[in-house]
Amino acid sequence: MAQADLDGLAPGTHDDAAHAAYLEAAPSMREAASRKAEIARFLLTDGRDWTWPARIKEAKARFGAKGTSLPSLRRILRTVEGVDPINFAPALLAGYNPTSQRAEITPEAWQFFVETIRRAASTFPLRAAWRDVRDVAIRRDWAWPSYPTVHRCWQALDEADRRALRHGREDAVRSLTLPIVRDKTSIAALDWVSLDGRTLDFWVDWGDGRAVRPTMLALVDVASNKVLDYELTRSENATDTVRLVKRTCQTFGIFDRLYTDNGSAFAGHLVAGGAPHRFRNSGRGPAVVPLGICRHLGIELRFALPRNAQAKIAERTFAALSRSVDDPPEFAGAHAGHSPGAAPSSSVAPVPISLAAEVIRREVERHNREPGRRSQGAAGRSYEAVFNAGLNTRLTRVPTARQLYLSGLTYHPVAVDRNGRATVGGHVYGGPDTQSAMLRHHGGGKRILLAVDPDDFTAPAIAFDGDGRLICEDVECVQRGAYGSADGARIAARNRKAARDAVAAAERANETLSDYEIQALWADLTPEPETVSAPKRRVVSGQFGGAVQATADIRPDPKMTPEDVVPAQGPTPEMLANMERALGMYPVKSRNGSA
């Protein structure tokens, strides 16, 4: 401090932490730091107004030639910028970086500084934020140091803190996320295929005189980076995506996995219907889900995580093709810029779609056949050569005609009415040949999948149950005829005859029984009465004069109990009256009541 006073500099605030680190350093390091501190005090006092040649000459004369060159002197000044003179030696210590603890900062002032940066644009200067806090600190009596000190405090923050304050939390997370390193040499051709779409940066004319920005859909083989096929469309839609996938499978065979994002054109029913895990149309809606092309062709579907679509190889391929596809000389005057929502101006001259298709075909072929590739596993070969080498070792899965046909249909969850018919888009499907099979799925809130040809709604449809099992084929489309026409009457007669034939076939299948046979079966339903065996006794002659006397020949059954023995009784008065009437001994009354 005394040396600082002699040099004419205010000593400032003592930094205890800095001096503690200074005292823990080796003696040689402390000696070198003290020498640099003396040079710094010289440059800020006696040599303040000197020219650099004069400063260098005087510094060499006072402190020697070592460490007194122009870069060394400037480096010393930069190091002590904003540092109090009493802390020069610790600040110039080799390997020590003074922090924000060297100066006092009011917490409210620092919070205001940080919040200003957070709310401002990412290009807002730090010095402008420092000035705003400085002006407020004067009125509120805050401790707010010089800009170099605040700048060092800012630099002392973690990189994540600075990026989050400057660019927002999401951008900070995205920029700091470490990419996943994958070994592409472990997969073969067509094991993984990446799908993506991109709106191109030029205007085209589809033949109707309107300027439209085309969309390019592309399938890229992940193992080789080859563009397998592409489609130019007016927009990113599911119908063109299905056509692209089908054409690629017809050319190279069915690939194993499709990797795409969760866009509506790729995660909808036409492409992803029936997939076990989807980001769209999953967990809600009808229980019967339409089937997509991946389900029919046996392609496993994988989706990129939300906001992580740049992980797709197709996305990187578009980045490599963008400049050669968007900015060739053939598209002069038709460039649309890079904003997706840009509208064409009067000066735009759209190019014909045929010219755009020819330029894109040329650039895609060049992309595939360009030699000297240095990507993983390429070894100087072209993308096409890498793909062909992998394709030679693959067992090709050729799509069948049945698979291609089913994948081209559209599937609609519908209910079956009481007549065994279903309706799709105003068209009614169902006839006598399929009525019986369709009626099994009528009522109870049941739904079936009716597959119809999107290009011809009058073609026969195919019906599937909710689990994708076939119900029946050739479900005819009902043709509406003129009211009162003879054709309608003939069709109605044909339907009645079909119903009679169906009922007759059912009767033949269930042969009826005759009345005699059914009566015999019903008789078997009546249970037989339970019989009880009576005690064995001898039959004796009737005795009408008195009680029946047991004879010596009657022996009681040894198995009988006393309760089973019934005492003998004589005839009752009713029995005697009946016998007299039967013998003619009982007087018969006349009609007038006389005997």
Side-chain angles (χ1 to χ4, degrees):
M1 183 183 295
Q3 183 64 39
D5 290 337
L6 292 175
D7 291 339
L9 294 175
T13 304
H14 188 275
D15 192 339
D16 295 335
H19 281 274
Y22 174 78
L23 294 176
E24 293 177 358
S28 59
M29 297 176 63
R30 293 201 302 268
E31 183 180 355
S34 298
R35 179 174 176 273
K36 291 179 182 179
E38 293 178 5
I39 296 175
R41 286 190 290 269
F42 157 70
L43 295 175
L44 294 175
T45 54
D46 296 341
R48 180 188 296 273
D49 299 327
W50 295 5
T51 61
W52 276 111
R55 290 179 177 178
I56 296 172
K57 182 178 179 180
E58 183 64 21
K60 289 182 181 295
R62 292 189 183 187
F63 309 105
K66 183 179 180 180
T68 55
S69 63
L70 178 59
S72 297
L73 297 180
R74 286 182 171 174
R75 185 165 52 251
I76 291 173
L77 287 179
R78 287 196 303 269
T79 303
V80 300
E81 184 179 3
V83 179
D84 293 336
I86 197 172
N87 302 320
F88 278 180
L92 293 168
L93 185 68
Y96 178 76
N97 185 19
T99 62
S100 59
Q101 297 176 353
R102 294 171 303 179
E104 181 183 0
I105 299 178
T106 303
E108 291 81 359
W110 180 255
Q111 292 175 0
F112 181 38
F113 175 74
V114 170
E115 192 63 27
T116 301
I117 297 173
R118 187 198 309 275
R119 293 175 180 269
S122 60
T123 56
F124 187 69
L126 287 177
R127 187 178 290 274
W130 172 82
R131 283 196 296 262
D132 292 345
V133 181
R134 180 198 62 187
D135 296 342
V136 176
I138 296 174
R139 299 181 179 180
R140 295 182 176 261
D141 196 19
W142 288 344
W144 188 243
S146 61
Y147 174 71
T149 303
V150 175
H151 185 268
R152 281 194 298 271
C153 295
W154 169 261
Q155 292 298 121
L157 295 176
D158 291 339
E159 182 68 20
D161 292 341
R162 295 202 303 272
R163 294 198 183 193
L165 291 172
R166 274 296 197 184
H167 306 285
R169 181 179 180 275
E170 294 183 1
D171 288 344
V173 171
R174 187 182 301 111
S175 62
L176 293 175
T177 300
L178 292 175
I180 300 175
V181 180
R182 295 183 174 92
D183 183 14
K184 290 174 49 177
T185 60
S186 62
I187 60 176
L190 297 182
D191 278 356
W192 288 84
V193 173
S194 181
L195 169 65
D196 196 24
R198 177 179 177 271
T199 301
L200 303 179
D201 294 342
F202 58 87
W203 303 100
V204 300
D205 182 5
W206 291 86
D208 53 3
R210 298 176 55 190
V212 180
R213 293 180 65 173
T215 297
M216 181 178 177
L217 304 174
L219 284 173
V220 182
D221 178 59
V222 174
S224 61
N225 289 350
K226 176 185 177 179
V227 179
L228 300 175
D229 204 347
Y230 65 92
E231 183 89 7
L232 283 180
T233 65
R234 293 177 179 265
S235 62
E236 191 175 273
N237 61 86
T239 303
D240 291 322
T241 303
V242 170
R243 184 183 302 111
L244 174 62
V245 173
K246 185 189 298 185
R247 188 169 64 241
T248 303
C249 292
Q250 288 176 297
T251 305
F252 301 104
I254 302 175
F255 47 87
D256 296 336
R257 300 175 186 87
L258 180 64
Y259 187 64
T260 181
D261 57 32
N262 61 339
S264 59
F266 309 143
H269 292 313
L270 289 180
V271 177
H277 302 290
R278 291 184 297 161
F279 287 100
R280 293 180 182 269
N281 304 318
S282 60
R284 61 181 184 273
V288 179
V289 179
L291 305 179
I293 185 173
C294 292
R295 172 71 178 272
H296 292 296
L297 297 181
I299 299 173
E300 182 182 350
L301 196 58
R302 296 288 186 89
F303 291 101
L305 294 176
R307 303 184 182 181
N308 191 40
Q310 68 272 15
K312 302 193 306 293
I313 296 297
E315 186 84 12
R316 304 179 191 178
T317 302
F318 277 130
L321 287 172
S322 60
R323 298 284 64 83
S324 59
V325 168
D326 292 333
D327 302 331
E330 291 90 343
F331 296 164
H335 198 272
H338 306 305
S339 177
S345 62
S346 58
S347 61
V348 169
V351 297
I353 186 60
S354 58
L355 176 60
E358 178 62 26
V359 171
I360 292 175
R361 183 193 62 79
R362 179 191 69 198
E363 296 302 327
V364 169
E365 290 183 356
R366 181 181 297 171
H367 169 82
N368 290 337
R369 298 176 181 176
E370 186 73 19
R373 298 294 187 180
R374 295 182 296 177
S375 61
Q376 188 179 148
R381 298 174 294 175
S382 65
Y383 294 150
E384 187 167 5
V386 177
F387 174 77
N388 292 335
L391 197 62
N392 292 333
T393 61
R394 176 183 173 83
L395 182 62
T396 304
R397 293 195 297 155
V398 180
T400 64
R402 175 75 171 179
Q403 285 179 308
L404 295 176
Y405 171 70
L406 292 177
S407 62
L409 303 177
T410 58
Y411 296 78
H412 305 269
V414 294
V416 179
D417 63 14
R418 61 185 179 86
N419 297 316
R421 290 174 171 175
T423 304
V424 173
H427 294 80
V428 181
Y429 294 87
D433 297 334
T434 60
Q435 184 183 35
S436 177
M438 296 278 281
L439 279 176
R440 296 191 184 99
H441 301 271
H442 166 65
K446 296 180 182 178
R447 294 272 176 168
I448 66 170
L449 283 175
L450 197 66
V452 300
D453 189 346
D455 299 324
D456 184 11
F457 280 93
T458 61
I462 304 178
F464 298 87
D465 64 8
D467 297 327
R469 293 186 293 264
L470 179 66
I471 298 175
C472 57
E473 297 190 51
D474 298 329
V475 184
E476 64 176 323
C477 181
V478 179
Q479 302 295 328
R480 300 178 184 271
Y483 190 81
S485 65
D487 292 337
R490 283 194 294 269
I491 292 174
R494 187 196 68 171
N495 292 342
R496 285 193 297 271
K497 182 179 183 301
R500 288 195 300 269
D501 293 342
V503 173
E507 290 179 348
R508 287 192 300 270
N510 301 297
E511 296 181 356
T512 59
L513 299 174
S514 64
D515 292 343
Y516 175 78
E517 292 172 331
I518 198 66
Q519 293 283 352
L521 293 176
W522 284 345
D524 290 342
L525 292 177
T526 305
E528 295 182 358
E530 184 179 357
T531 59
V532 180
S533 60
K536 296 180 178 180
R537 299 188 179 211
R538 285 191 177 187
V539 179
V540 296
S541 59
Q543 299 292 331
F544 303 103
V548 179
Q549 301 295 326
T551 64
D553 294 336
I554 299 177
R555 299 286 189 271
D557 192 344
K559 296 182 180 180
M560 293 179 57
T561 61
E563 289 80 6
D564 295 332
V565 178
V566 179
Q569 297 180 357
T572 61
E574 184 180 1
M575 294 173 59
L576 294 175
N578 290 335
M579 291 177 62
E580 291 175 356
R581 187 181 295 112
L583 296 174
M585 298 174 63
Y586 193 84
V588 180
K589 293 182 179 181
S590 63
R591 290 185 178 181
N592 57 6
S594 61

